[in-house]
Amino acid sequence: MTKWRSFNRFLENDNVVTHRFVPSVVPVQYARLLNVEMNSPILLVENFITKRTGQRLAYIKIYHNPEKGNVEITS
């Protein structure tokens, strides 16, 4: 979470953030980390941060275990 401070600079200067929510199954390499069984359903959240010109600044991929809570976005 300490990296979020550097992440916040991408949200300045009138940049655009797009969130894509993709139902998926847990990848093998993350099953233990997320404490879920293989082939369990998860939510993949892809975040794209771009300038208004279309230049991509950042891509962040987050795996969310739906059994651990909800995803809420406020903007």
Side-chain angles (χ1 to χ4, degrees):
M1 294 302 288
T2 58
K3 302 235 182 214
W4 283 106
R5 288 184 196 172
S6 61
F7 169 76
N8 284 337
R9 70 183 171 88
F10 289 116
L11 301 178
E12 301 170 355
N13 302 323
D14 203 30
N15 293 329
V16 177
V17 180
T18 303
H19 308 280
R20 181 184 303 156
F21 298 87
V22 183
S24 189
V25 294
V26 66
V28 174
Q29 66 268 33
Y30 297 120
R32 181 181 288 159
L33 182 65
L34 294 173
N35 196 26
V36 296
E37 292 184 25
M38 291 296 303
N39 297 319
S40 294
I42 60 164
L43 187 59
L44 167 60
V45 183
E46 295 178 305
N47 303 282
F48 304 90
I49 303 172
T50 57
K51 291 186 175 185
R52 294 245 180 237
T53 60
Q55 178 188 4
R56 186 168 286 174
L57 298 173
Y59 171 72
I60 301 145
K61 184 165 44 171
I62 300 169
Y63 292 99
H64 177 73
N65 181 353
E67 293 181 5
K68 300 292 183 183
N70 299 316
V71 174
E72 182 177 319
I73 298 175
T74 303
S75 58

